[in-house]
Amino acid sequence: MTQDLFRQDAYLRECSAHITAITDAGIVLDRTVFYPLGGGQAGDSGVLVLADGAEIAIADTRKGKDAEGNATSAIVHVPAPGQEERLAQLAADTPVTARIDWERRHRMMRLHTTSHLLCHVVPQLVNGCSITPDYARLDFAMTDPLDKEQLTAAIASLVAAAHPLTVASISDEELDANPALVKSMSVQPPRGTGRIRTIRIGGDGDAPPVDLQPCGGTHVANTSEIGAIVVTKIEKKSATTRRVVLGFAP
């Protein structure tokens, strides 16, 4: 099991940890700040720093899998190629400092939070999404046309309003009683622990939230931190799907 520190604090850039396993897939730690690919968000990259200052470059992060291919509670740090000699010197219980590529992560945090704002602006079910350091795309199950300038302006207004984000959780039973909280048709919230992590944007006091949905990804603490985001493309992917692509303003 890997303790996922990023769930509680997306702003942690590094942590001390110990190697618990070295597999064909990569390096497993007892705790980490690296987010693994999931929920549409790309996995983190960065470095594992050894006690002597040497670094193992991490190109990607994935969820661990058992022999049957089922997800486990381990998080696997995938080394970049060309480090075989250094990797051969590692062993279980080796102490390391896990340090993410913060600039890359923060770009994904900004885009991921923007994708939640887009769910408010376009209140339709999502049947596909991807969050990368350079762009985010959401596929909406809808037939009506969308306008790039109108969507960009609506997002800019929500960013400027400086809505705070709150990380909380609800029970499986609460989610079952409020199925509309799930905006995605393609990705279902993970169950099994009895609690499901949620992200709420706005909703201070008696005000209704701008957006509230289950999400395990990393986000900024306030929409004002997002900066200038624009809708770069709208595509008709099928008769019942409209794709919206978000990017950073030039």
Side-chain angles (χ1 to χ4, degrees), residues 103-121:
E103 182 179 351
R104 180 177 181 274
R105 156 74 79 76
H106 192 239
R107 288 168 68 89
M108 286 194 284
M109 289 166 60
R110 292 161 63 195
L111 284 168
H112 200 157
T113 302
T114 306
S115 74
H116 282 225
L117 296 179
L118 185 60
C119 287
H120 170 76
V121 176

Side-chain angles (χ1 to χ4, degrees), residues 204-226:
D204 292 342
D206 296 330
V210 173
D211 186 74
L212 172 62
Q213 59 179 295
C215 182
T218 58
H219 294 269
V220 295
N222 191 288
T223 61
S224 62
E225 195 176 329
I226 291 172

Side-chain angles (χ1 to χ4, degrees), residues 3 9 15 18 61 68 73 88-89 112 114 134 160 175 177-178 185 188 190 207:
Q3 183 182 4
D9 186 355
C15 71
H18 285 79
T61 310
E68 286 71 43
S73 58
Q89 301 173 2
H112 200 157
T114 306
D134 300 313
L175 182 60
N178 297 275
M185 301 165 61
Q188 290 300 308

Side-chain angles (χ1 to χ4, degrees), residues 29-210:
L29 306 178
D30 60 348
R31 61 206 301 261
T32 191
V33 292
F34 281 68
Y35 179 88
L37 171 72
Q41 182 175 325
D44 279 327
S45 61
V47 295
L48 302 182
V49 185
L50 306 181
D52 62 0
E55 296 183 351
I56 302 293
I58 301 301
D60 196 4
T61 310
R62 299 294 180 102
K63 296 176 182 177
K65 294 184 178 180
D66 60 22
E68 286 71 43
N70 300 311
T72 69
S73 58
I75 293 175
V76 180
H77 305 74
V78 182
Q83 304 178 96
E84 290 75 17
E85 183 176 343
R86 187 166 294 169
L87 291 170
Q89 301 173 2
L90 300 180
D93 208 39
T94 300
V96 299
T97 297
R99 180 179 299 149
I100 60 172
D101 180 338
W102 170 248
E103 182 179 351
R104 180 177 181 274
R105 156 74 79 76
H106 192 239
R107 288 168 68 89
M108 286 194 284
M109 289 166 60
R110 292 161 63 195
L111 284 168
H112 200 157
T113 302
T114 306
S115 74
H116 282 225
L117 296 179
L118 185 60
C119 287
H120 170 76
V121 176
V122 184
Q124 305 292 336
L125 288 175
V126 175
N127 59 15
C129 70
S130 179
I131 311 295
T132 79
D134 300 313
Y135 70 89
R137 64 164 177 79
L138 277 78
D139 294 341
F140 291 96
M142 61 185 300
T143 57
D144 293 339
L146 294 167
D147 182 88
K148 286 200 304 183
E149 285 69 29
Q150 290 179 357
L151 294 184
T152 295
I155 290 169
S157 177
L158 293 169
V159 169
H163 293 290
L165 271 75
T166 304
V167 179
S169 67
I170 58 176
S171 67
D172 291 355
E173 293 74 20
E174 288 174 304
L175 182 60
D176 291 338
N178 297 275
L181 291 179
V182 179
K183 309 293 177 65
S184 175
M185 301 165 61
S186 56
V187 179
Q188 290 300 308
R191 294 173 179 261
T193 64
R195 303 295 299 180
I196 297 169
R197 185 175 184 265
T198 59
I199 298 295
R200 187 183 77 222
I201 302 178
D204 292 342
D206 296 330
V210 173

